[in-house]
């Protein structure tokens, strides 16, 4: 996942205060030459103890999106932007 997913992974580890117990990742590429040696897009499911999941997708071709949503039993937290320090971080 190179630098595409590092911040998302660390955010989940921080929020859950735990390490994942299982990880499933899937990658896909179109036929563009620039993606011959690297993944164009990757989706990841991380399983944590207590039946908690973190699901995300990282892409080089998609419009820039840098947010995350945490849906829990007592409410929802949306951080948008969540990773772009140049814009300032915010949540609701």
């Amino acid at each position: 996942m190179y630098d595409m997913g590092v911040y998302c992974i660390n955010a989940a580890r921080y929020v859950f205060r735990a390490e994942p117990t299982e990880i499933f990742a899937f990658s896909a590429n179109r036929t563009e030459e620039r993606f011959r040696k690297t993944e164009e897009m990757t989706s990841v499911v991380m399983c944590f103890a207590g039946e908690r999941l973190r699901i995300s997708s990282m892409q080089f071709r998609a419009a820039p999106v840098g947010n995350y949503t945490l849906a829990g039993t007592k409410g929802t937290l949306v951080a948008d932007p969540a990773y772009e320090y140049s814009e300032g971080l915010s949540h609701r």
Side-chain angles (χ1 to χ4, degrees), residues 47-81:
C47 303
F48 290 84
E51 298 188 14
R52 299 173 294 172
L53 298 176
R54 175 232 176 232
I55 303 167
S56 67
S57 292
M58 291 72 57
Q59 299 187 39
F60 283 115
R61 290 181 63 122
V65 176
N67 62 36
Y68 70 82
T69 301
L70 175 63
T73 57
K74 296 181 181 180
T76 302
L77 171 70
V78 177
D80 187 13

Side-chain angles (χ1 to χ4, degrees), residues 10-46:
N10 286 332
R13 293 169 64 219
Y14 176 79
V15 168
F16 289 145
R17 293 185 173 94
E19 296 298 323
T21 56
E22 295 179 85
I23 300 174
F24 302 92
F26 306 91
S27 294
N29 291 337
R30 293 191 180 179
T31 57
E32 285 188 47
E33 180 65 22
R34 65 184 175 145
F35 298 117
R36 189 170 51 91
K37 293 184 178 182
T38 188
E39 291 80 12
E40 176 185 349
M41 59 193 103
T42 301
S43 292
V44 178
V45 176
M46 296 172 66

